[in-house]
Amino acid sequence: MKGVILAAGKGERLRPLTDDRPKVMLKVANRPIIEYVLENLDPFVDEFIIIVRYEKEKLIDGLGDEFNGKPMTYVDQLPGEGTAKAIESAREQIGDEEFIVANGDIYFEIEGVKELVGAFKREKADAALLVKEFDDLSHFGKVEVRENLVSMVREKPGSVSGYANLGVYIFKPDVFEFLQKTPLSKRGEYEITDTINLMIGDGKRVAYAVYSGYWNDVGRPWNLLELNEYLLKNKLKHSIRGIVEEGATVVPPVEIGEGTVVRSGAYLIGPVKIGRNSRIGPNCFIRPYTSIGDNCHIGNAVEVKNSIIMDNSNAPHLNYVGDSIIGENTNLGAGTITANLRHDKGTIKVEVKGKLEDSGRRKLGAIIGHNVKVGINVSIYPGRKIGSNSFVGPGVIVDRNVPSGSLVVM
Ligand code: TTP
């Protein structure tokens, strides 16, 4: 069976982290999100087809032409937006066998795929989708079922409970007829949920499998922190490949990559993951659920907790980084501090695609893009974004979002 992964989206809700790369290439626990999808589909497929468009070179260069020895073909999305258009793009590559489709920006585990394949076979179905029960389906497609089959999928049904469509499917090649007939939705996209409704209307059998494991749809910045926390809590194995100097404390589980040096006085409480060739300490405090990439520097008198610091970035002197995401090639000046808690203890709201959204989190720090230089003694309010390729001068109080490519001085 072939596996088709949808990775052509613009990932606008994840700006500024997606300013220069596809969302699926953002690293969580130091691995691109799409690699978790590839890994969990791997036992079921013999070839991967990746649908690409936005910043596709970054994806192709980053992943190469095989995964675990299985060929990977990149296919440009046909003109038009939406998941149905993305799947239709694989028409020539799919022969006469059924195939699995997954969004490239979701995290799910292998049990889900097993259940899905099981339901597809058991029901002798024409298609199958993976669902999960949630109390609030406002951000999902609601999957309505009758006995063992899907009767309808409704996009964004409001705050109701029920089965959510998780973005993992099996189709037979006859889906292409329905993909071609799928009309443009009110949102201006060709949506796979509309295709599935067309199939049901035509008498096709659409099965479903209920997934009970962990799942995350990485759409908004704080989803990266949730996924990071889950992966470090549940998947991290204690492993020290670098050097831990005498006088440093490492409380397992901590993964330290080759070439990384943890200097004396550093205090690391796992789960913490650190990539290769990074410099940690002396005298810093790294608290649980922190991922630090390759070639990073976390220096003297720096505290980091529950954060993602991507490759080639530095928090070198007297910094506090809490519940924050720092992109690649970014440098924090000495004394720069992220605030991660409101004094009224309210949940932190973040601007997502021009609208203020409630993250639901009491603690959320800064979201800083790639290639950013932050000067000394900068204070960043909770949930504020600093766009990629920006310069924030010394002493600035970042109380509003900084657009990408800005120069902000006091
Ligand atoms: P979405 O998360 O709905 O869209 P997006 O990735 O563009 O993100 P945003 O809304 O923040 O701009 O996409 C779901 C999945 O489908 C995701 O894996 C990307 C993929 N996709 C495509 O491959 N082509 C498309 O045209 C769209 C809209 C999504």
Side-chain angles (χ1 to χ4, degrees):
M1 188 152 57
K2 290 180 180 162
V4 176
I5 299 181
L6 312 186
K10 294 196 205 82
E12 286 181 281
R13 290 165 300 157
L14 271 172
R15 295 281 155 88
L17 300 161
T18 47
D19 279 343
D20 65 352
R21 66 199 67 197
K23 158 164 65 170
V24 302
M25 290 307 284
L26 290 175
K27 288 185 183 174
V28 179
N30 297 352
R31 267 187 107 182
I33 299 166
I34 195 171
E35 285 194 11
Y36 299 108
V37 179
L38 291 166
E39 196 168 79
N40 286 309
L41 290 185
D42 183 54
F44 305 91
V45 307
D46 41 38
E47 187 180 337
F48 291 105
I49 295 156
I50 321 280
I51 312 299
V52 296
R53 180 156 64 197
Y54 177 71
E55 294 287 345
K56 66 174 180 177
E57 287 75 20
K58 299 255 166 56
L59 220 156
I60 299 168
D61 293 348
L63 294 182
D65 53 12
E66 60 172 52
F67 183 82
N68 274 353
K70 294 182 184 165
M72 275 208 294
T73 311
Y74 298 91
V75 173
D76 286 314
Q77 179 165 323
L78 293 167
E81 292 299 312
T83 43
K85 215 24 102 184
I87 301 170
E88 197 187 336
S89 314
R91 184 174 204 147
E92 276 180 27
Q93 284 70 28
I94 299 293
D96 49 10
E97 261 184 69
E98 63 253 23
F99 58 102
I100 300 194
V101 175
N103 292 355
D105 59 348
I106 53 175
Y107 180 89
F108 56 92
E109 290 179 347
I110 196 162
E111 291 69 31
V113 194
K114 274 188 204 150
E115 298 280 341
L116 186 69
V117 172
F120 179 78
K121 290 194 175 146
R122 202 169 46 244
E123 297 303 327
K124 299 193 173 43
D126 298 297
L129 44 148
L130 197 62
V131 304
K132 186 171 173 69
E133 200 156 3
F134 285 98
D135 290 338
D136 179 2
L137 296 180
S138 350
H139 289 307
F140 297 100
K142 180 175 197 283
V143 179
E144 292 177 356
V145 300
R146 201 174 306 127
E147 292 171 11
N148 296 337
L149 295 178
V150 175
S151 55
M152 190 184 182
V153 189
R154 282 200 292 137
E155 265 313 327
K156 315 280 180 302
S159 182
V160 294
S161 63
Y163 288 141
N165 171 25
L166 298 189
V168 191
Y169 316 87
I170 300 182
F171 293 110
K172 286 183 173 170
D174 65 0
V175 69
F176 290 107
E177 279 170 44
F178 296 92
L179 286 165
Q180 258 187 332
K181 284 192 254 172
T182 303
L184 202 60
S185 72
K186 279 195 222 118
R187 292 199 298 179
E189 291 187 9
Y190 297 93
E191 307 197 27
I192 190 60
T193 45
D194 288 333
T195 315
I196 291 167
N197 288 331
L198 285 180
M199 292 177 75
I200 296 167
D202 201 60
K204 298 283 179 197
R205 292 170 66 79
V206 179
Y208 65 97
V210 183
Y211 174 55
S212 53
Y214 180 78
W215 176 83
N216 198 319
D217 177 6
V218 183
R220 295 161 174 80
W222 55 90
N223 299 136
L224 294 165
L225 291 178
E226 292 162 3
L227 180 57
N228 187 55
E229 182 172 338
Y230 173 81
L231 290 168
L232 295 190
K233 192 184 275 175
N234 295 286
K235 308 284 172 193
L236 191 77
K237 295 208 171 63
H238 186 71
S239 136
I240 312 271
R241 298 224 171 97
I243 296 166
V244 177
E245 281 184 6
E246 205 173 313
T249 304
V250 173
V251 181
V254 172
E255 191 183 303
I256 296 175
E258 268 168 45
T260 286
V261 181
V262 178
R263 298 201 191 286
S264 183
Y267 199 103
L268 278 57
I269 305 179
V272 163
K273 182 163 180 167
I274 303 172
R276 285 171 297 181
N277 303 319
S278 286
R279 290 178 293 142
I280 309 295
N283 305 318
C284 63
F285 185 21
I286 304 186
R287 294 167 50 194
Y289 311 120
T290 295
S291 290
I292 296 167
D294 297 341
N295 309 309
C296 292
H297 179 203
I298 307 299
N300 179 55
V302 174
E303 179 173 342
V304 188
K305 70 152 284 228
N306 209 355
S307 292
I308 298 173
I309 299 182
M310 298 187 191
D311 298 340
N312 309 312
S313 287
N314 308 319
H317 326 272
L318 302 147
N319 305 115
Y320 174 68
V321 179
D323 304 275
S324 296
I325 304 168
I326 298 182
E328 282 183 19
N329 301 313
T330 283
N331 193 72
L332 304 185
T336 282
I337 301 287
T338 63
N340 60 341
L341 180 69
R342 289 166 58 116
H343 280 167
D344 63 4
K345 306 270 167 69
T347 48
I348 290 161
K349 304 193 176 53
V350 181
E351 194 189 303
V352 175
K353 247 180 130 173
K355 275 203 221 126
L356 213 53
E357 280 198 31
D358 191 346
S359 69
R361 294 172 69 99
R362 240 169 39 85
K363 291 202 173 167
L364 182 61
I367 299 135
I368 305 182
H370 313 291
N371 312 312
V372 177
K373 296 232 176 314
V374 182
I376 58 160
N377 286 333
V378 170
S379 301
I380 311 170
Y381 272 42
R384 298 306 189 271
K385 297 181 179 180
I386 300 179
S388 300
N389 305 309
S390 293
F391 173 79
V392 179
V396 171
I397 296 177
V398 179
D399 59 355
R400 63 203 69 189
N401 294 325
V402 173
S404 295
S406 300
L407 166 65
V408 185
V409 286
M410 261 177 71

